[in-house]
Amino acid sequence: QPSSEPSSQPSSEPSSEPSSEPSSEPSSQPSSEPSSEPSSEPSSEPSYQPSVSTMPSCSPSSSPTESPSGGGDVNLFYPEWKKDSEGCRNDGGEPDYMAVNPTEWLTSTMKACCKKYFGGYMYDDCMGRYPPDHDDCNMMLFYPDWQGANKGCLDDGKEPYYMLSNHKLFLSNTRDDCCKKFYGWDYYSCMGTTPVLTHGEFYPDWVDSSTCLDDGNIPTYMLNEQRWYLSTTLRQCCERHFHYNINACLGTSYGGSDKWYVKYEAKTCVKDCVGTSPCGGVAASWDELFGSKEECCKTKMSWDIRCRIRSV
């Protein structure tokens, strides 16, 4: 029989005859192992620690996280027939017999899954388990349109069987993930967006005009590497990409600044101009210019006293 009063210290060994009724007060420390017979009703108070869900919320939090989340696992949609939970899921919890035969059981869009397994009067309920805006809930996966126009990624559920069979390789949760993975060389066309120009609007037209243009038709590969190809001014662009024929690029008879710059192959300083000596041609954008030949020689070729008297 149990004592009328509880002891002040717990016993070191469990009782061989536990009481038939639970105690009126809960213990201060939780047990180390879960109960083999959980209660049938939820507790009236929530647990101190929140549970961790493996699926993202369909309604995002009002404040974004400081660090962006990664692309995450790519999971296909499968039918769930559990009573009162009928619908389609893409949480990676499909049964093994579905996982090993994805082209038979699984789909790349919720719409296709609901239509295939919950058509008729249950279709709206199946689709309504998630809001229609797939920016909040991932309701379709994206695939590269290699067999079509091949200009981007689609989410129409018409991907080839080989992509569905190897979905973690070929399918993506977002258009951004798909474009980065399969159309990195033409990313902005794939996304249907125009990037912010951070290094100017002038680009070299090596194909047609052999000059620099600012007509907005910048090739994608140049947009992807703006610091190498774009310039803020026509002259800067011409000097970078057409320095061997800068006047033609500029479309003018620009003759230089009449200042001096060093020409190491001539072992002297020459004038930034077009014509006979002392002109050495138009200086490149990286050439340092000086007000006189003496200043140029003193700064750039101080070890060679004949720099001042040499000519080109």
Side-chain angles (χ1 to χ4, degrees):
Q1 295 294 326
S3 62
S4 57
E5 295 293 328
S7 62
S8 58
Q9 295 293 327
S11 60
S12 59
E13 297 292 329
S15 170
S16 60
E17 295 182 12
S19 61
S20 59
E21 296 292 329
S23 62
S24 58
E25 295 294 326
S27 63
S28 59
Q29 294 294 326
S31 60
S32 59
E33 296 293 328
S35 169
S36 59
E37 296 182 12
S39 62
S40 58
E41 297 293 329
S43 63
S44 58
E45 295 293 327
S47 63
Y48 180 73
Q49 293 293 332
S51 60
V52 179
S53 171
T54 58
M55 287 294 290
S57 169
C58 290
S59 298
S61 61
S62 57
S63 298
T65 57
E66 293 182 3
S67 300
S69 60
D73 269 349
V74 178
N75 298 311
L76 295 174
F77 292 87
Y78 68 94
E80 170 63 77
W81 287 298
K82 187 182 296 183
K83 185 175 176 55
D84 298 326
S85 298
E86 297 92 341
C88 291
R89 309 281 186 269
N90 71 330
D91 55 7
E94 65 271 10
D96 289 343
Y97 72 89
M98 294 185 184
V100 298
N101 195 2
T103 57
E104 177 66 27
W105 292 100
L106 309 181
T107 67
S108 64
T109 69
M110 177 173 284
K111 181 177 180 180
C113 179
C114 289
K115 185 176 181 180
K116 183 174 183 178
Y117 298 108
F118 300 96
Y121 73 96
M122 294 189 67
Y123 175 79
D124 289 340
D125 287 341
C126 178
M127 290 294 293
R129 292 191 181 277
Y130 291 105
D133 182 1
H134 68 273
D135 287 333
D136 289 349
C137 268
N138 187 20
M139 297 181 70
M140 62 276 293
L141 301 175
F142 293 83
Y143 67 94
D145 185 28
W146 290 328
Q147 295 182 339
N150 197 24
K151 293 184 177 180
C153 295
L154 302 179
D155 60 354
D156 56 9
K158 297 179 181 179
E159 66 283 334
Y161 281 150
Y162 75 87
M163 292 187 181
L164 196 65
S165 298
N166 199 358
H167 64 278
K168 291 189 181 295
L169 175 61
F170 292 106
L171 304 187
S172 304
N173 287 318
T174 66
R175 187 183 303 276
D176 180 68
D177 288 343
C178 181
C179 288
K180 285 179 178 177
K181 189 172 184 179
F182 299 109
Y183 292 95
W185 51 273
D186 199 14
Y187 173 78
Y188 295 107
S189 295
C190 178
M191 290 293 294
T193 59
T194 301
V196 176
L197 300 181
T198 57
H199 289 71
E201 300 179 355
F202 287 92
Y203 68 95
D205 178 24
W206 288 305
V207 177
D208 297 320
S209 62
S210 295
T211 188
C212 291
L213 305 175
D214 63 345
D215 56 7
N217 297 320
I218 305 171
T220 300
Y221 75 91
M222 294 187 185
L223 291 173
N224 290 337
E225 297 289 346
Q226 293 188 37
R227 60 180 182 145
W228 297 114
Y229 295 105
L230 303 189
S231 304
T232 56
T233 66
L234 174 63
R235 176 169 176 79
Q236 184 184 51
C237 180
C238 288
E239 288 177 345
R240 289 180 66 186
H241 304 292
F242 298 100
H243 57 87
Y244 51 86
N245 196 6
I246 190 170
N247 286 337
C249 177
L250 290 170
T252 65
S253 57
Y254 176 75
S257 64
D258 280 338
K259 291 186 177 182
W260 297 80
Y261 67 96
V262 67
K263 200 164 190 176
Y264 289 110
E265 62 268 30
K267 298 181 180 180
T268 188
C269 287
V270 295
K271 210 169 190 180
D272 177 23
C273 59
V274 178
T276 58
S277 183
C279 292
V282 175
S285 58
W286 56 83
D287 286 323
E288 185 178 1
L289 299 177
F290 300 90
S292 67
K293 185 173 184 177
E294 288 72 18
E295 182 185 5
C296 175
C297 287
K298 181 179 179 180
T299 304
K300 293 294 185 179
M301 298 189 67
S302 57
W303 66 89
D304 190 345
I305 59 174
R306 298 184 62 81
C307 172
R308 294 177 175 81
I309 62 175
R310 286 197 186 100
S311 60
V312 292

